[in-house]
């Protein structure tokens, strides 16, 4: 039986003390090894840390410094797309259809008002003109004959050799001859107008921007042949938002 009043170290047997001593020695060795490892890690990291700081300093990029001043306002440059166009532009066409016989200008040609630019073939018109000229000559001859007939019958009527009905018939024939002469003259004038319209002329000074047809083309009345723009006066067409355009006034300078 163990005495409870004896000291604590007297309660353990020699074998137990031996085991405790071995455990304490083992713990001491482990602690010493841990301290050595920590000391080695600390010495190994310090050079790396120093070299990292030095590399960061070597990699530093030079930068420029801008002094900022306070401003009451600022400007914003805005750009808009537009085009420069002529103040007047027109597609030139013949009043009548036909075959284009000649075009005297090309793209980029500068022309003057009234200049002849293109011609239609006029063979049919010239043939029709000759026909109408002959008809007019015939109508004028018939009119002259009718008038002379009226004069003779009127003289005979005064002498009592012909009836009044015969005189009235002669006067009516003269009126019809005059109508035929007037109609033939009008038809001939119409052909003269068509011949004049067979020549395409410039309505104002300008530049030929596009040639739309070539010689030999068969066109209908009103078919565009040339595009003419006024060369002396140009305008700019610019698209912009309405809220911005409302700020502009006549006479404003736009760079």
């Amino acid at each position: 039986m163990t005495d409870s009043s004896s000291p604590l170290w007297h309660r353990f047997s020699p074998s137990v003390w031996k085991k405790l001593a071995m455990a304490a020695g083992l713990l001491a060795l482990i602690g010493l090894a841990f301290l050595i490892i920590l000391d080695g890690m600390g010495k190994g990291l310090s050079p790396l840390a120093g070299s990292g700081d030095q590399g960061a300093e070597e990699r530093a990029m030079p930068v420029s410094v801008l002094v900022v001043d306070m401003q009451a306002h600022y400007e914003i440059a805005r750009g808009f797309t537009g085009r420069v166009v002529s103040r007047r532009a027109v597609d030139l066409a013949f009043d009548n259809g036909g075959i284009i016989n000649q075009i005297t200008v090309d793209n980029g040609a500068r022309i003057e008002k009234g200049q002849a630019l293109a011609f239609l073939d006029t063979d049919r018109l010239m043939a029709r003109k000759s026909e109408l000229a002959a008809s007019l000559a015939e109508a004028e001859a018939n009119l002259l004959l009718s008038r002379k007939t009226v004069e003779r019958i009127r003289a005979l009527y005064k002498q009592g050799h012909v009836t009044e009905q015969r005189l009235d018939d002669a006067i009516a024939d003269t009126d019809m001859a005059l109508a035929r002469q007037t109609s033939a003259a009008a038809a001939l004038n119409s052909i003269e107008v068509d011949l004049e319209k067979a020549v395409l002329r410039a309505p104002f000074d300008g530049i030929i921007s596009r040639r739309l047809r070539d010689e030999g083309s068969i066109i209908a009345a009103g078919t565009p042949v040339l595009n003419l723009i006024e060369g002396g006066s140009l305008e700019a067409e610019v698209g912009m938002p309405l809220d911005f355009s409302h700020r502009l006034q006549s006479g404003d300078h736009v760079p």
Side-chain angles (χ1 to χ4, degrees):
M1 179 177 235
T2 306
D3 188 359
S4 59
S5 62
S6 62
L8 181 61
W9 55 85
H10 290 167
R11 298 180 184 180
F12 298 103
S13 62
S15 59
V16 173
W17 280 109
K18 185 176 181 180
K19 292 180 179 180
L20 290 174
M22 293 178 63
L26 182 59
L27 289 174
L29 291 174
I30 294 173
L32 180 61
F34 182 71
L35 291 176
I36 292 172
I37 292 173
L38 289 178
D39 182 62
M41 291 177 64
K43 291 180 179 181
L45 288 175
S46 59
L48 293 175
S51 63
D53 295 340
Q54 183 179 1
E57 293 177 357
E58 292 178 353
R59 291 194 303 271
M61 298 292 293
V63 297
S64 59
V65 178
L66 178 64
V67 178
V68 179
D69 296 331
M70 295 295 294
Q71 299 290 335
H73 63 279
Y74 63 93
E75 297 181 356
I76 298 178
R78 301 184 64 180
F80 302 101
T81 302
R83 60 175 184 171
V84 177
V85 297
S86 173
R87 187 172 64 89
R88 288 192 295 177
V90 62
D91 286 332
L92 301 179
F94 290 101
D95 286 353
N96 300 320
I99 301 174
I100 298 177
N101 188 42
Q102 183 182 10
I103 298 178
T104 62
V105 293
D106 210 336
N107 294 340
R110 290 187 174 273
I111 61 172
E112 298 179 353
K113 180 179 179 180
Q115 179 178 339
L117 308 177
F119 300 86
L120 286 178
D121 181 80
T122 58
D123 289 345
R124 292 181 180 274
L125 290 176
M126 293 301 296
R128 180 61 176 164
K129 180 182 177 180
S130 299
E131 180 183 353
L132 290 176
S135 298
L136 177 60
E138 181 183 0
E140 289 176 344
N142 290 333
L143 177 60
L144 180 60
L145 178 60
S146 297
R147 285 173 176 173
K148 290 182 178 181
T149 301
V150 168
E151 291 176 0
R152 287 194 297 268
I153 292 178
R154 181 176 284 113
L156 293 173
Y157 173 74
K158 290 179 180 180
Q159 297 174 3
H161 299 297
V162 296
T163 63
E164 185 178 359
Q165 180 65 43
R166 181 72 181 88
L167 177 60
D168 291 341
D169 290 342
I171 293 174
D173 290 341
T174 302
D175 291 340
M176 287 188 292
L178 178 61
R180 286 192 291 270
Q181 185 269 343
T182 303
S183 177
L188 186 60
N189 289 336
S190 177
I191 288 295
E192 293 288 354
V193 173
D194 288 342
L195 287 171
E196 179 63 26
K197 294 295 184 180
V199 180
L200 191 61
R201 299 184 181 276
F204 51 81
D205 296 345
I207 301 173
I208 299 297
S209 65
R210 286 181 299 166
R211 175 171 168 166
L212 305 174
R213 295 292 184 273
D214 292 319
E215 290 84 354
S217 299
I218 301 176
I219 59 173
T223 302
V225 176
L226 299 167
N227 181 264
L228 174 65
I229 62 174
E230 190 175 20
S233 179
L234 298 178
E235 296 179 349
E237 294 181 353
V238 181
M240 61 182 63
L242 290 177
D243 58 345
F244 186 84
S245 62
H246 290 162
R247 306 174 195 171
L248 300 178
Q249 298 180 358
S250 179
D252 287 349
H253 176 70
V254 181

